[in-house]
Amino acid sequence: MNFHILTLFPEMIVDGLSTSITGRAMEKGAITVNAVNIRDFTTEKHGHVDDYPYGGGAGMVMQPDPVYRAYEYVVESINSRQRDGITSVESTGIDEYITSCDSITNNSEIGNTKKPRVVYMTPQGKVFNQNIARELSKEEDLIFLCGHYEGIDERVLEMIVTDNMSIGDYVLTGGELPAMVMIDAISRLVPGVLGNDISSEFESFSENLLEYPQYTRPYEYMGRKVPDVLLSGHHKNIDKWRHEQSVERTKERRPDLWEKYVKDNSKLSGNLKK
Ligand code: ADE
């Protein structure tokens, strides 16, 4: 799966995702992370990408053109990769691209192939969850658009954004951390990213239940012992105990999820009876 991130801070994305599991997934080629600097696409001589808001008010607004050009560059690179059947997304250099594209009018001018989804990170978006992560993990390419300052000119958002997404009801200084959160959650559902493909299926939220507690050595730590059932070697009892723990945890910590679990399971048993 290929992630393309339109941002003013590409190093933040690359540094954040190059370690641990996502870093290894990049090395293995299970995911690619293509952080594109919106500033590289400005035609303004001082390299500005923002300006004062029409109508007044505090802060600066990101201008539409650099964002649109960066988007178009990414879409072109995806299309040419698909046409040529090559795996690298950097088939065209940015400089080469910028000089070759002078007249940009609207979205429909971009190639004639399928347009990828463009996810704009904004506190005004739909709140991200595991179901959305699962759905997005099926895409071959995803573009994330990260805003800064007081946001991005509305016109370019209308032209390119397919999904407005938030990671929660709080306001961050930019879209980079939210994009990284989403990329992390989506990546671990992509085949080949986790060592063991099934492990992503049986974790918290996979069926609206939280994960059961885990233990490792030593058997006794500061007077606290590992529950005996986990040492019994009796897999059926272990599964039963884990399920009970998941249920207890969910009821106690996330009553909202528990309600959904009960609703979904009563629907399911109703359907089975029919
Ligand atoms: N940008 C700023 N705050 C955000 C949030 N909570 N979610 C997504 N993008 C954001």
Side-chain angles (χ1 to χ4, degrees):
M1 173 160 197
N2 305 301
F3 297 102
H4 311 267
I5 304 95
L6 309 182
T7 169
L8 289 173
F9 301 97
E11 67 289 350
M12 189 173 169
I13 302 281
V14 173
D15 290 352
L17 293 174
S18 295
T19 43
S20 190
I21 292 176
T22 45
R24 256 175 280 140
M26 284 159 71
E27 278 165 21
K28 283 194 280 182
I31 61 167
T32 67
V33 173
N34 174 32
V36 173
N37 193 342
I38 294 169
R39 200 177 295 281
D40 289 343
F41 294 85
T42 181
T43 48
E44 205 269 344
K45 62 175 184 287
H46 301 294
H48 291 149
V49 288
D50 59 338
D51 209 333
Y52 295 100
Y54 272 112
M60 302 292 267
V61 177
M62 284 172 66
Q63 293 173 298
D65 197 51
V67 173
Y68 190 84
R69 284 172 176 265
Y71 161 76
E72 201 189 37
Y73 166 73
V74 166
V75 174
E76 267 304 316
S77 68
I78 293 169
N79 286 348
S80 71
R81 185 200 68 215
Q82 285 169 352
R83 273 195 304 269
D84 304 346
I86 52 171
T87 50
S88 166
V89 289
E90 286 103 17
S91 52
T92 319
I94 288 175
D95 294 338
E96 203 181 306
Y97 171 79
I98 289 178
T99 45
S100 75
C101 102
D102 287 330
S103 62
I104 297 166
T105 46
N106 68 54
N107 207 9
S108 60
E109 284 192 11
I110 297 177
N112 50 10
T113 26
K114 189 180 154 224
K115 289 196 201 105
R117 282 171 87 162
V118 179
V119 180
Y120 176 46
M121 303 313 310
T122 165
Q124 298 179 12
K126 186 170 175 180
V127 179
F128 183 57
N129 63 29
Q130 192 67 21
N131 286 338
I132 298 171
R134 212 171 287 125
E135 181 199 323
L136 293 177
S137 71
K138 299 191 175 91
E139 299 288 329
E140 196 179 337
D141 289 275
L142 268 183
I143 301 178
F144 286 86
L145 172 59
C146 305
H148 255 268
Y149 316 121
E150 286 308 306
I152 300 180
D153 186 289
E154 192 66 23
R155 291 163 295 183
V156 73
L157 299 178
E158 288 166 5
M159 287 162 74
I160 69 172
V161 171
T162 59
D163 301 79
N164 289 290
M165 294 294 321
S166 163
I167 60 159
D169 292 337
Y170 39 83
V171 181
L172 298 166
T173 55
E176 284 74 15
L177 285 171
M180 284 193 270
V181 165
M182 282 189 63
I183 292 168
D184 189 291
I186 294 166
S187 292
R188 60 187 290 292
L189 302 172
V190 171
V193 169
L194 295 183
N196 172 1
D197 275 356
I198 50 168
S199 55
S200 64
E201 279 300 310
F202 293 101
E203 290 174 19
S204 294
F205 302 109
S206 65
E207 46 167 359
N208 289 323
L209 280 185
L210 299 183
E211 200 186 358
Y212 47 78
Q214 297 277 19
Y215 300 87
T216 186
R217 283 189 286 190
Y219 168 67
E220 187 170 340
Y221 181 68
M222 294 201 186
R224 293 160 190 260
K225 291 181 181 148
V226 174
D228 284 336
V229 63
L230 299 177
L231 289 90
S232 68
H234 194 300
H235 293 294
K236 232 173 156 182
N237 285 353
I238 293 173
D239 287 349
K240 182 168 170 279
W241 181 85
R242 284 179 164 168
H243 182 73
E244 286 163 2
Q245 292 290 315
S246 287
V247 166
E248 286 316 309
R249 270 200 171 187
T250 312
K251 280 185 189 171
E252 188 188 316
R253 297 184 186 183
R254 292 291 305 273
D256 56 322
L257 275 187
W258 175 246
E259 236 176 75
K260 274 195 204 154
Y261 176 81
V262 171
K263 219 160 126 194
D264 288 356
N265 280 275
S266 62
K267 259 194 242 152
L268 207 66
S269 57
N271 285 342
L272 289 176
K273 277 183 207 149
K274 277 180 203 158

